[in-house]
Amino acid sequence: MAGKKIKIAVPDEEGQVSIMFSRGGPRAGAGRKGFGETKKISLTLTNEVWSELENRCKTSGLSRSEVIRGIIESSLNTHDKLL
């Protein structure tokens, strides 16, 4: 840590005092904003389906979660229209 500047940050909200380097560090409101609830699931699919899923991820430039979310939302919307 020789030569690195540090600062002590007193939080706006009740909590612990934190020591930060001169750049970066925790900031109120920083970070990726959530848009839903995260739940972990285990999914068993055939190798062919996994391959197709990975191909869709590569061609669309989306993450696996984004592709699966899109498929589920599309399926639910189609099902709702049939009712």
Side-chain angles (χ1 to χ4, degrees):
M1 284 191 2
K4 293 192 180 215
K5 296 179 182 179
I6 62 170
K7 59 184 174 181
I8 297 177
V10 180
D12 293 335
E13 301 174 14
E14 185 176 329
Q16 296 180 348
V17 174
S18 62
I19 297 175
M20 300 183 297
F21 290 99
S22 61
R23 293 186 179 182
R27 296 176 310 282
R32 183 182 297 183
K33 306 299 182 248
F35 64 89
E37 183 178 349
T38 300
K39 293 189 179 189
K40 303 295 181 186
I41 62 168
S42 177
L43 184 61
T44 303
L45 301 170
T46 64
N47 287 335
E48 292 79 16
V49 175
W50 280 118
S51 293
E52 178 59 29
L53 181 63
E54 294 303 321
N55 287 336
R56 289 188 188 198
C57 293
K58 287 179 187 175
T59 58
S60 66
L62 299 173
S63 70
R64 189 181 298 147
S65 292
E66 290 171 313
V67 171
I68 292 172
R69 185 180 313 113
I71 292 168
I72 291 171
E73 288 173 351
S74 175
S75 176
L76 291 174
N77 289 335
T78 301
H79 179 70
D80 288 345
K81 291 177 184 176
L82 296 175
L83 295 178

